[in-house]
Amino acid sequence: MITMSKSKNHTNHNQNKKAHRNGIKKPKTHRHPSLKGVDPKFLRNQRFAKRGTFLVMTKKKAAAKAEAKAKTA
């Protein structure tokens, strides 16, 4: 028994139209991406760096507030 070989192995017909019916959307970006799987040494250093930056900024704000108060008084 001899069968005919198939002629069509693949088609992309209508796939583009189907994809665009609801629009091709970009993946949503999150404000704070997860740090899961990040190097622990880096995370530890980042934690200390954030703390140091926070302390410096609070001192600057306090100094600016005191300067503004001295200016008005």
Side-chain angles (χ1 to χ4, degrees):
M1 184 174 188
I2 300 172
T3 58
M4 291 180 61
S5 62
K6 283 189 167 184
S7 60
K8 185 165 67 171
N9 291 321
H10 180 274
T11 181
N12 200 29
H13 180 69
N14 203 38
Q15 299 310 305
N16 215 22
K17 184 178 178 184
K18 281 165 53 179
H20 282 86
R21 276 179 69 94
N22 293 319
I24 296 177
K25 297 181 177 70
K26 289 183 179 178
K28 291 184 178 179
T29 55
H30 300 290
R31 186 171 183 176
H32 300 293
S34 172
L35 294 173
K36 185 178 176 184
V38 178
D39 182 29
K41 188 175 177 183
F42 169 78
L43 287 177
R44 182 175 159 84
N45 187 56
Q46 187 182 45
R47 204 167 63 232
F48 290 127
K50 279 182 180 176
R51 174 86 173 128
T53 306
F54 177 76
L55 291 173
V56 169
M57 293 305 289
T58 51
K59 284 180 184 175
K60 274 188 181 179
K61 282 181 186 176
K65 197 180 265 187
E67 188 180 321
K69 192 174 183 182
K71 227 180 218 184
T72 57

